[in-house]
Amino acid sequence: MKKSKNKQFTTGRQKVSPPLQPPADLHRRYWIYCLAIAVITLITFIPSLQNEFVDTWDDQGYVIDNPQITGLSFNKIKEIFTSDIWGNYNPLTILTFGVERYFFGSGPFIYHLDNLLLHIICTVLVFRLTHLLIPSLIPACVISLLFGIHPLHVESVAWVTERKDVLFGVFYLLSLIVYIKYARTGKNRYYFFTAAFFLLSLFSKIQAVSLPLSLLCIDYFLGRPLRGKTIYEKIPLLALSVIFGLIGIHFLKEMKAFYVSSEFTLTDRPFIGTYGLTIYIIKSLIPFKLAAYYPYPEKENGFLPIAWYASFLVAPVLLYILWKTYRKVKFVFFGLLFFLFNIVFLLQILEAGGAFLADRFSYVSFYGLFFIVGNYAGKFYGKFPRIKIVLISTASAYFIILAVISWNRCKIWKNSLTFWNDEIAKYPAVSFSYTNRAGVFIKMDRLDKAVEDFTSYIALRPMNPEGYYKRGIVFNEMKNSEAALNDFSSAIKINSSYFDAYFHRSGILTDAGRYEEALADCDKMLSLNPDAPEAWNSRGSVHFRQGKFTDALEDINKTISLDPAYKDAFRNRAILFDMLGLPERAVIDFDSHLKLYPQDNEARTWRENVAGKIAAGGGK
């Protein structure tokens, strides 16, 4: 028999089907559709460009007050690559913030713009990746459009801190794309680029450790036998995954953010994992009740809600689907396995943080589910030509709904106030939402609203002294001394070692002329921390009010010995020296104070008056 002259692309001895060559008009439509999807994605996320930083939800530490991004010197870059941010190792992401700060300043627009541009790049790469796997434009359009406008991806785009997702996504997808070229050509340069993009992805976000598993999914879909070289070539990539995984665990342990919860036992964790898995699958199609923080359930009599136990049934169902589709429906097996490989490490089997799921965890993993949907869409479109208009209309309506949800969801990330308003509306029993929103109201000088939020927090956590203490601070700022005093006393009643509550209560008692009670609070502070300069300074203030200037001087001397830069310590001692008839020493301390606080015009005036007395012959 005459052998066919048609050659196949090979990798060693492994035969892999070559890609189909598109005709010219298909090539043109490819770029038209790709551009259209990029534009739709851009329009959907346009509101994010008007957003500020969410300074009460990680943006403060990652960008606003991050000392690592204040320059691009070698030492700064070294610091970025050798340290973490709150237990997260994302040095390349942090470096991009540093570049933006260096060239464009600290305004939020450029950070949001770059997030959006990176997301659009990811969407285009999804289109390219899909078309490499399936040379059909309909699945590529559906899958990339779902990826581009899906509401669960808003968190990754509209939240500056989640630069991690869109940046790691770019390199992750590039790695998959060049790996396909490697699998089809066997050229080593493509393997090198696969590894290089993988490394960049790992430096962007450790979530990229799943890439070797995703490559096995690619191998399966391309028909590469899962043995021999196909396995061996993954070993260097797996080594990178292990190294970065250990780095991530190290930093999480340092932050004490990686642990087994005392509230949820080891027997609870599998059900928490399967419930999260179920919710991700449902939300991929029906994005409901989206939030930035999804709290764990409240246990009743030591048990999780029944729905969490029932969710365990999803595990055998998914295994059954994988078994049935392995040989018969490759796109389902590929898509489901890709999703599972990329979500399994994020299912909180071991708790790392306070939420059991997060929208941002879906960023790459949802590609697998979208792959299934897109392929079914292509099959239905070709199988039922008579109802194409109905199919197109239904799909268009669905995409419009997703886009509208995403558009509005971008506005939730406008600033800290809109953010916490939404969180409280969705999950009103999450207590820390009220304290965070109260902090926003304090910055806005809406102290009455801050009091309301602290009151809500106290209602949820009546035995937590923090709520009373923080509300007391606000009452004190509002000049409501009696309410502040009651709150500080309540905090102390719950926690008799609450140093800060004693500190503020002593100040109120001093102003009220209740000196003995104030002294008792000062002495309590000193028993809790004898090296606290604020305790000595407070006691000195009480002695000053009592007219015990010598005792007050001893306390202020102690304050300065512990902290020479303690606010107003030199000023207070200068006043004492003046009262004790020692103007020369008073002038010296006023000078020391004004070096630290040159804008204190009141102290400057007092110094001039004391100096005037010396010039008039009143010094001793």
Side-chain angles (χ1 to χ4, degrees):
M1 181 181 290
K2 188 177 181 178
K3 293 183 179 180
S4 170
K5 293 182 179 180
N6 294 333
K7 295 183 178 180
Q8 291 201 345
F9 294 87
T10 62
T11 304
R13 297 178 180 177
Q14 303 162 6
K15 296 181 179 180
V16 179
S17 301
L20 299 179
Q21 298 299 319
D25 71 320
L26 183 61
H27 184 75
R28 184 170 58 254
R29 283 189 291 130
Y30 172 96
W31 287 109
I32 291 173
Y33 293 159
C34 188
L35 178 61
I37 290 168
V39 171
I40 292 170
T41 302
L42 171 64
I43 293 171
T44 300
F45 284 89
I46 277 288
S48 69
L49 298 181
Q50 300 176 359
N51 289 357
E52 304 163 20
F53 291 114
V54 182
D55 58 1
T56 54
W57 196 243
D58 287 8
D59 281 353
Q60 193 82 19
Y62 271 85
V63 183
I64 301 172
D65 293 332
N66 185 356
Q68 295 179 2
I69 65 172
T70 55
L72 293 177
S73 66
F74 174 80
N75 287 335
K76 284 292 181 183
I77 295 174
K78 179 182 176 182
E79 181 184 358
I80 288 172
F81 278 85
T82 55
S83 58
D84 66 304
I85 300 290
W86 294 335
N88 293 305
Y89 184 67
N90 318 111
L92 192 57
T93 299
I94 304 304
L95 182 60
T96 65
F97 292 148
V99 172
E100 288 163 325
R101 173 72 64 85
Y102 184 83
F103 288 103
F104 301 101
S106 56
F109 175 79
I110 189 63
Y111 299 89
H112 286 295
L113 176 62
D114 287 345
N115 270 22
L116 178 50
L117 292 176
L118 287 167
H119 177 59
I120 292 172
I121 292 171
C122 284
T123 303
V124 172
L125 291 174
V126 164
F127 188 92
R128 176 61 177 161
L129 172 63
T130 305
H131 199 255
L132 283 173
L133 293 172
I134 306 170
S136 173
L137 287 177
I138 292 175
C141 288
V142 172
I143 294 165
S144 57
L145 192 55
L146 281 170
F147 185 93
I149 67 173
H150 200 279
L152 263 73
H153 289 174
V154 171
E155 181 173 301
S156 299
V157 182
W159 183 18
V160 170
T161 292
E162 277 312 303
R163 169 71 55 78
K164 297 174 284 187
D165 284 333
V166 290
L167 188 62
F168 114 83
V170 167
F171 296 121
Y172 195 98
L173 293 166
L174 281 171
S175 190
L176 295 177
I177 289 169
V178 295
Y179 181 78
I180 293 173
K181 292 183 177 293
Y182 165 73
R184 285 176 170 159
T185 66
K187 293 180 179 179
N188 289 332
R189 69 172 182 268
Y190 289 125
Y191 182 85
F192 170 79
F193 282 118
T194 298
F197 287 133
F198 178 39
L199 185 61
L200 291 171
S201 188
L202 288 167
F203 276 123
S204 302
K205 189 173 186 178
I206 289 181
Q207 188 178 333
V209 294
S210 62
L211 184 111
L213 300 176
S214 296
L215 297 182
L216 290 174
C217 293
I218 298 286
D219 291 330
Y220 158 81
F221 196 79
L222 295 179
R224 300 183 77 199
L226 300 179
R227 62 178 183 269
K229 184 179 180 181
T230 305
I231 302 300
Y232 298 150
E233 66 195 14
K234 306 298 186 300
I235 292 176
L237 306 179
L238 284 169
L240 286 175
S241 292
V242 170
I243 291 169
F244 276 82
L246 292 174
I247 290 172
I249 291 172
H250 166 73
F251 284 124
L252 284 171
K253 283 185 173 180
E254 278 196 343
M255 283 293 296
K256 298 182 179 179
F258 189 78
Y259 53 87
V260 177
S261 170
S262 59
E263 181 179 1
F264 298 99
T265 64
L266 287 174
T267 56
D268 291 329
R269 305 311 305 188
F271 299 106
I272 290 172
T274 55
Y275 186 80
L277 181 63
T278 304
I279 296 299
Y280 281 124
I281 294 172
I282 295 172
K283 288 195 176 193
S284 69
L285 297 174
I286 308 171
F288 66 98
K289 201 178 182 180
L290 303 183
Y293 178 84
Y294 299 95
Y296 280 92
E298 294 288 338
K299 296 177 73 172
E300 294 184 14
N301 300 319
F303 292 97
L304 295 167
I306 188 65
W308 294 66
Y309 294 112
S311 71
F312 196 75
L313 293 174
V314 76
V317 169
L318 293 178
L319 289 174
Y320 177 77
I321 293 173
L322 289 171
W323 176 65
K324 293 294 289 185
T325 60
Y326 176 70
R327 296 186 183 277
K328 296 180 180 179
V329 195
K330 290 182 71 173
F331 71 84
V332 174
F333 184 87
F334 167 83
L336 185 54
L337 200 61
F338 185 97
F339 166 68
L340 292 174
F341 279 161
N342 282 278
I343 203 68
V344 67
F345 300 111
L346 307 169
L347 292 178
Q348 300 294 296
I349 302 301
L350 289 178
E351 188 171 353
F356 73 92
L357 63 92
D359 292 357
R360 60 189 177 275
F361 293 162
S362 73
Y363 194 71
V364 166
S365 63
F366 268 18
Y367 176 76
L369 299 180
F370 296 158
F371 192 83
I372 297 172
V373 173
N375 276 276
Y376 272 122
K379 289 183 178 296
F380 275 108
Y381 186 81
K383 190 174 182 179
F384 302 104
R386 295 182 179 180
I387 59 170
K388 282 185 178 180
I389 295 178
V390 175
L391 291 174
I392 292 173
S393 299
T394 302
S396 298
Y398 179 67
F399 285 132
I400 290 172
I401 291 171
L402 292 183
V404 170
I405 295 173
S406 293
W407 172 284
N408 290 322
R409 186 83 192 142
C410 284
K411 297 178 181 179
I412 297 302
W413 291 87
K414 171 71 175 176
N415 53 44
S416 288
L417 183 58
T418 56
F419 176 86
W420 291 113
N421 284 344
D422 179 72
E423 186 67 34
I424 289 171
K426 301 287 178 56
Y427 294 99
V430 176
S431 58
F432 70 77
S433 297
Y434 295 97
T435 57
N436 282 319
R437 189 171 69 174
V440 176
F441 282 134
I442 290 171
K443 290 180 180 178
M444 298 172 66
D445 202 30
R446 298 172 61 180
L447 301 184
D448 55 330
K449 301 297 291 183
V451 167
E452 290 179 13
D453 275 352
F454 283 130
T455 301
S456 296
Y457 176 86
I458 290 168
L460 292 168
R461 297 286 184 268
M463 295 309 296
N464 190 322
E466 286 293 312
Y468 297 99
Y469 169 75
K470 291 180 178 179
R471 190 175 66 176
I473 295 292
V474 178
F475 276 136
N476 200 30
E477 186 71 20
M478 297 171 70
K479 310 302 181 185
N480 189 342
S481 300
E482 183 177 354
L485 187 63
N486 289 335
D487 273 350
F488 293 137
S489 297
S490 296
I492 289 168
K493 185 176 180 180
I494 297 170
N495 180 6
S496 60
S497 298
Y498 203 148
F499 183 95
D500 289 343
Y502 284 110
F503 174 76
H504 287 284
R505 190 173 73 171
S506 70
I508 294 174
L509 291 171
T510 300
D511 291 338
R514 297 162 63 176
Y515 301 129
E516 294 305 320
E517 294 172 81
L519 282 174
D521 278 356
C522 293
D523 290 338
K524 179 63 176 180
M525 283 190 283
L526 290 171
S527 70
L528 293 170
N529 185 1
D531 293 326
E534 58 266 46
W536 291 99
N537 190 70
S538 294
R539 196 171 75 166
S541 296
V542 179
H543 284 144
F544 180 85
R545 293 286 190 92
Q546 290 179 309
K548 299 178 180 179
F549 299 144
T550 302
D551 292 340
L553 183 59
E554 291 179 4
D555 289 334
I556 301 302
N557 284 339
K558 184 66 174 180
T559 302
I560 293 172
S561 70
L562 291 169
D563 183 5
Y566 187 81
K567 184 173 174 58
D568 291 344
F570 280 111
R571 170 179 167 155
N572 291 341
R573 192 170 69 175
I575 293 171
L576 278 168
F577 281 139
D578 186 37
M579 301 295 290
L580 291 168
L582 301 170
E584 291 88 352
R585 299 183 66 178
V587 168
I588 293 172
D589 273 0
F590 274 127
D591 288 340
S592 297
H593 171 78
L594 290 169
K595 285 181 181 179
L596 296 171
Y597 307 100
Q599 305 303 319
D600 189 347
N601 292 324
E602 184 180 357
R604 191 176 303 279
T605 300
W606 199 317
R607 183 218 182 270
E608 291 172 357
N609 291 336
V610 174
K613 288 195 294 183
I614 295 174
K620 293 185 179 180

